[in-house]
Amino acid sequence: MLDIKMQLSTTPKEKPDQTKLGFGIYYTDNMFVMDYTEGKGWHDARIVPYAPISLDPAAMVFHYAQESFEGLKAYRTPDGSIQLFRANKNAERMQNTNKRMCIPALPVDDFVQACKTLVEVEKDWVPSQEGTSLYLRPFVIATEPHLGVRPSSTYSFIIIASPVGAYYESGLNPVKIFVEDEYVRATPGGTGFTKCGGNYAGSLASQVKAHDLGYEQVLWLDGVEHKYVEEVGSMNCFFKIDGVVYTAPCVGTVLPGVTRMSCIELLEKWGYKVCTDRLPIADVVKASKEGKLEEVFGTGTAAVISPVGELRYEDDVCVINNNKIGEVTQRLYDEITSIQWGKKEDHMGWTIKVC
Ligand code: COI
């Protein structure tokens, strides 16, 4: 159990208009910080005023990108209480990321305790407007000033919190996705399964290209054959073809999303066949031409469930379900958001009460 010292802000900020939150624009009054020193372990857990952090310009995170991050949300329920969604899964994933990035492990219980404590301190920042939440961004950075390439001997674990609305401006309206066939996101043996900043830095050129072509996001193909669908920029991706729901396997190149995992569990509970074998993009295009591509949707903490209305791969443009949200997509959205926002009983045991 962490001994978290409170050194809270004495100058509270004005809270933003809950109808205009956007995503990742506003930050709460305080943040959680804990340091790691080789030989001493994690120490000095504290909640301090949200403020810029001071780092040596030689800090290793700036040069070799040794860092990891997570994303999870705190939800305001109808009775005014606050809950987290499967925070232990984020903690476990951060452990896997840290292992791959040679960052010291953070105990799952400490991660969850830190999130809960920050949310409790910032409870007045958890919005109540439909579809809003308090997004938590835990991250670890390598802080040792050193230019040789090796793991840092010091780190900081920080959690910031941001009241948010929908990730996409279009809300639950279908997004248009460009299938990337030039750049790759991940290859076997690489860092594709981790949540590290480098994965996202490497994706930006493709995202800019897709935006210029009028698409909101990129669908990545596997990095070896450029043949199998993997994931979308900020989401995992599901395809319903002829009654069967497909999503890419988490075999090292795909991020094991918490919402992805939750959707699979619900779909199986509802009796759908979920196939996590590799799915060729050619099969998706063929299914679309044959009228069998019934639904496509993305899943993620930030994006929740996001219907896909159009996929472009090379010269083929697949319009999905007449650019309307599909039945399974809507059912998953309703079920998951009802559990997250406490509008229905949590029959899956996924929520963690904060206060
Ligand atoms: C999330 O869904 O929480 C993410 O981290 C995706 C993105 C905003 C990077």
Side-chain angles (χ1 to χ4, degrees):
M1 181 99 171
L2 293 174
D3 174 22
I4 304 175
K5 299 269 182 301
M6 299 286 170
Q7 301 152 14
L8 305 184
S9 165
T10 51
T11 50
K13 301 174 200 165
E14 197 178 319
K15 306 230 176 11
D17 177 348
Q18 290 194 17
T19 61
K20 298 194 181 83
L21 290 175
F23 185 85
I25 299 167
Y26 303 101
Y27 299 93
T28 64
D29 294 319
N30 299 283
M31 61 188 186
F32 174 90
V33 183
M34 177 162 73
D35 301 312
Y36 177 92
T37 311
E38 216 167 75
K40 192 170 171 191
W42 289 105
H43 59 90
D44 288 314
R46 57 205 184 271
I47 294 186
V48 295
Y50 183 99
I53 49 179
S54 172
L55 285 178
D56 193 296
M60 295 175 90
V61 64
F62 295 136
H63 306 277
Y64 310 123
Q66 196 195 6
E67 69 95 50
S68 64
F69 76 95
E70 271 302 323
L72 67 161
K73 286 173 173 170
Y75 305 85
R76 173 84 59 188
T77 66
D79 69 3
S81 60
I82 299 170
Q83 59 190 25
L84 295 171
F85 183 74
R86 309 191 84 175
N88 50 317
K89 295 290 171 200
N90 295 90
E92 286 164 17
R93 187 170 62 189
M94 183 170 252
Q95 288 199 326
N96 293 335
T97 302
N98 286 8
K99 192 167 174 205
R100 179 65 178 83
M101 305 305 288
C102 290
I103 294 173
L106 257 158
V108 168
D109 289 349
D110 291 355
F111 177 104
V112 175
Q113 186 196 344
C115 291
K116 283 173 79 170
T117 309
L118 180 64
V119 171
E120 193 160 4
V121 164
E122 301 292 49
K123 57 181 180 300
D124 293 345
W125 282 89
V126 182
S128 54
Q129 186 85 17
E130 177 84 26
T132 62
S133 55
L134 185 69
Y135 184 79
L136 303 182
R137 173 52 61 88
F139 60 104
V140 182
I141 49 173
T143 52
E144 184 187 347
H146 184 78
L147 294 184
V149 180
R150 59 154 174 77
S152 175
S153 62
T154 59
Y155 300 85
S156 288
F157 171 51
I158 301 175
I159 309 175
I160 55 173
S162 170
V164 297
Y167 185 70
Y168 294 114
E169 276 173 24
S170 57
L172 198 55
N173 291 325
V175 292
K176 289 169 70 179
I177 293 203
F178 177 78
V179 183
E180 177 60 71
D181 55 0
E182 178 193 1
Y183 300 115
V184 298
R185 175 185 174 275
T187 48
T191 58
F193 67 99
T194 71
K195 217 154 169 60
C196 71
N199 286 346
Y200 295 81
S203 75
L204 296 177
S206 177
Q207 189 180 314
V208 169
K209 182 171 96 178
H211 275 185
D212 289 347
L213 291 166
Y215 289 82
E216 272 130 313
Q217 286 271 321
V218 170
L219 172 63
W220 297 102
L221 300 179
D222 76 279
V224 177
E225 296 177 77
H226 297 211
K227 187 173 163 189
Y228 301 99
V229 297
E230 294 216 317
E231 67 182 78
V232 174
S234 53
M235 314 184 282
N236 294 110
C237 201
F238 287 70
F239 303 81
K240 181 161 170 274
I241 300 176
D242 213 9
V244 178
V245 184
Y246 296 83
T247 192
C250 287
V251 285
T253 51
V254 172
L255 188 79
V258 177
T259 315
R260 170 192 181 277
M261 178 192 306
S262 308
C263 285
I264 294 175
E265 288 171 35
L266 283 175
L267 287 165
E268 288 179 340
K269 189 165 177 268
W270 292 339
Y272 286 97
K273 184 169 185 306
V274 181
C275 178
T276 55
D277 293 341
R278 301 218 289 173
L279 175 67
I281 184 68
D283 290 10
V284 175
V285 174
K286 182 165 171 277
S288 171
K289 288 182 177 160
E290 291 170 352
K292 293 181 182 163
L293 181 59
E294 294 155 354
E295 297 183 40
V296 180
F297 57 93
T299 64
T301 297
V304 196
I305 308 283
S306 181
V308 176
E310 185 180 313
L311 268 185
R312 173 167 155 196
Y313 175 56
E314 297 176 338
D315 293 331
D316 285 306
V317 174
C318 310
V319 176
I320 300 129
N321 196 34
N322 289 323
N323 213 11
K324 292 202 179 62
I325 184 165
E327 200 183 311
V328 172
T329 312
Q330 183 75 56
R331 188 173 175 196
L332 280 170
Y333 179 85
D334 291 344
E335 186 71 10
I336 291 208
T337 56
S338 299
I339 294 175
Q340 289 173 330
W341 273 276
K343 291 182 184 160
K344 86 185 268 185
E345 199 206 329
D346 175 11
H347 53 91
M348 304 299 280
W350 285 339
T351 51
I352 300 172
K353 181 152 174 153
V354 175
C355 56

